Amino acid sequence: MQTVVGVAVVRDGLVLAAYRVGGGWEFPGGKVEPGETDEQAAVREIREELDLEIKVGDSLGPGVDISADYRLQVYLATAVAGDPVLREHAELRWFAPAELDEEDWLEPDRPFVKALRDRL
């Protein structure tokens, strides 16, 4: 099973989310490549997708199966440099913790939204 990392990027108490075309909100990220750790993949994916530099922190809980082939693992991260650039999603938005409603998120991301809200 291949791991897909999602990254809950936090800056000034706000969380960055990306809206997938035709879907819902998600934590940006992508597939872990062979030879990479989850943390290395998170840094690479956020740099490629959003032009942000991050410091990866703790996992937000156990992985969630997306399909028979992929498992989503979401990590908390701090933005350390740059401003997000919209490249691969329909929209980017910074959410305050009180604005995080699981219903607006893609199904696999929802358990991590609750865990994130509990930690912020």
Side-chain angles (χ1 to χ4, degrees):
M1 180 165 293
Q2 186 172 14
T3 299
V4 175
V5 292
V7 185
V9 179
V10 177
R11 177 186 280 165
D12 300 326
L14 302 175
V15 180
L16 184 63
Y19 194 83
R20 183 178 286 188
V21 176
W25 293 103
E26 69 178 352
F27 294 109
K31 296 175 187 162
V32 177
E33 299 294 335
E36 277 185 321
T37 64
D38 288 4
E39 292 82 2
Q40 290 168 330
V43 168
R44 177 185 52 76
E45 286 286 347
I46 297 304
R47 184 180 296 137
E48 290 173 1
E49 283 187 21
L50 303 173
D51 204 23
L52 275 178
E53 295 298 324
I54 61 169
K55 182 176 192 277
V56 180
D58 294 335
S59 166
L60 287 175
V64 172
D65 290 348
I66 299 171
S67 69
D69 298 321
Y70 298 102
R71 174 172 289 142
L72 176 64
Q73 184 65 57
V74 177
Y75 291 86
L76 193 57
T78 305
V80 294
D83 289 309
V85 176
L86 184 64
R87 290 193 176 123
E88 298 184 15
H89 295 89
E91 184 181 350
L92 297 174
R93 180 175 163 201
W94 292 97
F95 284 89
E99 298 173 316
L100 296 172
D101 177 4
E102 295 108 66
E103 297 303 315
D104 297 334
W105 291 71
L106 296 176
E107 187 68 36
D109 292 75
R110 291 177 187 178
F112 300 106
V113 173
K114 181 178 178 346
L116 176 63
R117 197 172 45 236
D118 291 346
R119 297 195 58 187
L120 294 178

